[in-house]
Amino acid sequence: MTFFNEMAMLFTRYNSFFYEGVRNTLIISAFSVLLGIVFGTLMAMLRMSKILPLRLLATAYIEFIRGTPLMVQLMFIFYGLPMVGIQFPNIPFIPDFSRFAAGIVAMSMNSCAYVAEIIRSGIQAVDSGQMEAARSIGYSHSQAMRYVVLPQAVRNILPALGNEFVIVIKESSIVSVIGIADLMFRTKDVIAVTYRTLPSLAIAAVIYFCMTFLGGQLISWMERRMSHGKG
Amino acid sequence: MAKDEFLQVVDLHKRFHKLEVLKGISTGFRRNEVVSIIGPSGGGKSTFLRCLNLLEVPNSGQIIFDGVDICDKKQDINLHRQKMGMVFQQFNLFNNANVLHNLIDAPMRIKKLPRETAEEMALRLLGEVGLADRVDAYPHQLSGGQKQRIAIVRALMMEPEVMLFDEPTSALDPEMIGEVLDVMKRLAEDGMTMIVVTHEMRFAREVSDRTIFLDDGHIEEDKPSHEFFDHPESPRLVSFLDKVL
């Protein structure tokens, strides 16, 4: 039996494992990206704040998150928080809610730091002359930001944000270590049942690739639409 | 200090960290006056001009505009800036918007001008600088000279009392300098009050009423342009003019 035949056989027989894994991976990734963008925007604002303590706090957070492994952060949230009395509750009808909550919190806290840096650098990459020109004709700082700087910053931010989305999909595989039945977790299940390690991993790789590739295409399509008519 | 000066500068100091760029500048500007500021690079010309509308905040001194000290923190600087147009070396047109939007956005948003009035005004002024056909273009589609003429129109759209020019032709190819200077010359003839930091000695000599030589943070010489160029007094100005003329 060739390798590809083996992959096809495994996928046909265990497709429900892979489907469930994909679903959970997408749930974790989508929530993490969404929350990451919301809190990342806030974090970027703190990072550029005129108030020094806020700026320092945001900088420290970003540096800490970027300087430690996601695995460690995830362990801290999932095992560490309950030790100091903070529990993610289990709620009825949503199985494994506490695990998912921990996974999403850790992933989005992580993503938040990267998104904040993406937004900050996107804004600061806009030529400072644009802000000056706007101020010189009487726009207030916030008007200049809103009508002149941010629309230009978005075009710097969007491609990097798309990249971040792809990274989150891949990195989310780490939540399998806390028992969330994501694609990686279910792939290991298939391996445990069949002892077919390489073909199972190959299936997972192909599925991950399809998700990131389609995600990337979606983002670049959005980019093209947004940059229409502008140089 | 003459009474008819609507813009007065009193003992202006500006430091960047330890570098003292302006070391006590005092002068004044009358309405309808065209003043050129010349001098060597690093002498403080641009910093001085940028202090006038507080793009740089001076460390000490006063800038009295229409009777109020705009350095006073209680003053709403956005209000005063509307009355002071500024033209930059690098044009700084809004890259995300076409020419029309560049021109009408501020008058509509800040001065609450109705769109029709703003558009009418934009088209009239664009016609005057010979660019009525570029109203839909984006900045990246324009030449440097065209961008600068539009930047001048953008400042004029707010109907300022004074126009500040920060080396408006320094970033232009030689064949485009003329078209921008022509616009500025016509503006001067129409009676606009202008303060121009420039390296164009012919413009300073022929168009401006008065020329200031700013060197090492001081005003070295300040007098009517024809006298300034025909009978320079300060030795530093004499040697500067020797090099550039």
Side-chain angles (χ1 to χ4, degrees):
Chain A
M1 199 158 44
T2 68
F3 190 74
F4 292 111
N5 282 339
E6 208 171 346
M7 277 173 70
M9 185 273 290
L10 281 172
F11 187 74
T12 325
R13 190 170 298 167
Y14 296 101
N15 64 52
S16 64
F17 281 61
F18 290 110
Y19 285 140
E20 195 206 349
V22 166
R23 196 196 65 197
N24 287 340
T25 287
L26 286 179
I27 289 174
I28 295 270
S29 305
F31 276 105
S32 301
V33 165
L34 228 64
L35 293 173
I37 289 173
V38 171
F39 289 104
T41 310
L42 293 173
M43 191 61 69
M45 285 164 74
L46 293 183
R47 176 81 169 76
M48 292 183 291
S49 161
K50 274 187 198 143
I51 304 159
L52 186 68
L54 291 182
R55 205 162 64 227
L56 286 179
L57 204 70
T59 310
Y61 176 82
I62 290 167
E63 291 303 327
F64 177 76
I65 292 285
R66 297 205 306 173
T68 53
L70 175 56
M71 175 81 95
V72 173
Q73 296 161 16
L74 183 68
M75 298 279 180
F76 256 95
I77 302 278
F78 186 67
Y79 297 115
L81 286 189
M83 283 184 199
V84 293
I86 303 170
Q87 301 271 5
F88 290 103
N90 261 314
I91 53 177
F93 307 117
I94 304 180
D96 264 348
F97 178 81
S98 66
R99 285 176 204 279
F100 272 85
I104 289 170
V105 166
M107 290 288 302
S108 45
M109 279 179 70
N110 182 271
S111 183
C112 158
Y114 288 93
V115 169
E117 283 299 272
I118 289 169
I119 290 177
R120 181 189 61 82
S121 62
I123 288 173
Q124 289 178 350
V126 175
D127 178 23
S128 61
Q130 298 284 312
M131 173 59 92
E132 281 190 351
R135 296 308 304 274
S136 82
I137 39 181
Y139 287 90
S140 68
H141 181 88
S142 58
Q143 284 175 321
M145 206 64 185
R146 209 160 123 207
Y147 302 118
V148 178
V149 176
L150 282 182
Q152 298 183 51
V154 165
R155 277 190 286 154
N156 303 330
I157 291 170
L158 213 60
L161 219 48
N163 198 29
E164 172 65 16
F165 180 58
V166 166
I167 289 172
V168 166
I169 290 180
K170 289 186 294 178
E171 295 275 283
S172 74
S173 61
I174 216 165
V175 299
S176 60
V177 303
I178 60 166
I180 294 177
D182 77 330
L183 178 55
M184 200 59 218
F185 188 91
R186 282 296 176 236
T187 305
K188 284 183 202 154
D189 283 350
V190 174
I191 294 172
V193 175
T194 63
Y195 297 108
R196 294 280 178 268
T197 309
L198 270 186
S200 307
L201 285 176
I203 292 171
V206 169
I207 298 177
Y208 271 116
F209 178 79
C210 287
M211 287 193 287
T212 55
F213 185 74
L214 288 177
Q217 292 297 309
L218 190 73
I219 296 286
S220 48
W221 174 76
M222 275 163 65
E223 267 168 53
R224 276 198 303 278
R225 284 200 44 162
M226 286 202 69
S227 65
H228 182 69
K230 293 167 190 177
Chain B
M1 200 178 295
K3 269 208 178 119
D4 53 349
E5 289 172 346
F6 76 116
L7 177 59
Q8 293 169 339
V9 179
V10 186
D11 198 28
L12 203 66
H13 287 262
K14 174 67 186 176
R15 268 191 327 272
F16 291 109
H17 301 289
K18 283 188 183 139
L19 182 69
E20 197 172 19
V21 182
L22 300 180
K23 302 171 180 171
I25 305 260
S26 297
T27 184
F29 302 93
R30 290 193 300 275
R31 282 189 200 284
N32 307 330
E33 194 179 30
V34 178
V35 180
S36 291
I37 302 175
I38 67 168
S41 303
K45 308 182 297 288
S46 283
T47 305
F48 172 67
L49 195 75
R50 290 161 59 83
C51 278
L52 291 179
N53 65 354
L54 296 200
L55 282 184
E56 303 291 353
V57 180
N59 295 98
S60 68
Q62 291 174 296
I63 296 164
I64 297 161
F65 180 52
D66 287 340
V68 292
D69 181 4
I70 60 172
C71 296
D72 185 347
K73 291 259 189 308
K74 277 174 256 155
Q75 289 295 322
D76 180 5
I77 184 59
N78 297 326
L79 224 56
H80 297 294
R81 283 191 180 133
Q82 293 169 30
K83 297 184 272 179
M84 301 169 138
M86 185 151 190
V87 176
F88 299 86
Q89 184 176 352
Q90 297 296 340
F91 331 122
N92 295 345
L93 290 180
F94 303 141
N95 293 323
N96 58 323
N98 66 13
V99 168
L100 184 69
H101 188 85
N102 260 279
L103 300 184
I104 64 174
D105 193 62
M108 282 167 53
R109 214 181 283 287
I110 300 168
K111 291 180 92 179
K112 309 288 178 215
L113 233 55
R115 177 176 272 272
E116 303 79 60
T117 321
E119 280 185 8
E120 208 174 288
M121 186 176 175
L123 286 171
R124 176 170 57 77
L125 289 172
L126 277 180
E128 281 176 26
V129 299
L131 289 170
D133 55 330
R134 303 316 305 270
V135 62
D136 293 322
Y138 279 85
H140 70 99
Q141 298 165 320
L142 300 168
S143 74
Q146 291 175 328
K147 281 187 212 176
Q148 196 59 300
R149 283 183 280 161
I150 284 161
I152 292 172
V153 170
R154 178 176 66 181
L156 290 174
M157 288 292 292
M158 296 298 281
E159 299 180 305
E161 291 177 26
V162 54
M163 288 277 282
L164 312 176
F165 293 84
D166 189 4
E167 302 196 24
T169 58
S170 296
L172 294 175
D173 292 338
E175 75 263 32
M176 292 172 184
I177 292 176
E179 62 192 54
V180 171
L181 288 181
D182 282 346
V183 169
M184 291 170 61
K185 207 165 144 184
R186 253 184 299 142
L187 212 53
E189 283 160 6
D190 289 347
M192 174 58 74
T193 312
M194 296 161 64
I195 305 172
V196 187
V197 169
T198 187
H199 292 293
E200 295 294 324
M201 294 304 143
R202 269 191 59 189
F203 178 87
R205 183 176 203 149
E206 289 165 17
V207 181
S208 64
D209 305 304
R210 203 174 99 207
T211 302
I212 293 174
F213 179 59
L214 201 65
D215 182 27
D216 195 27
H218 297 286
I219 291 184
E220 279 281 319
E221 197 136 346
D222 177 357
K223 53 189 185 184
S225 296
H226 56 94
E227 248 182 84
F228 182 98
F229 285 98
D230 293 342
H231 308 290
E233 283 167 49
S234 127
R236 305 196 68 149
L237 174 56
V238 174
S239 83
F240 179 77
L241 288 179
D242 266 350
K243 276 183 232 152
V244 297
L245 287 181

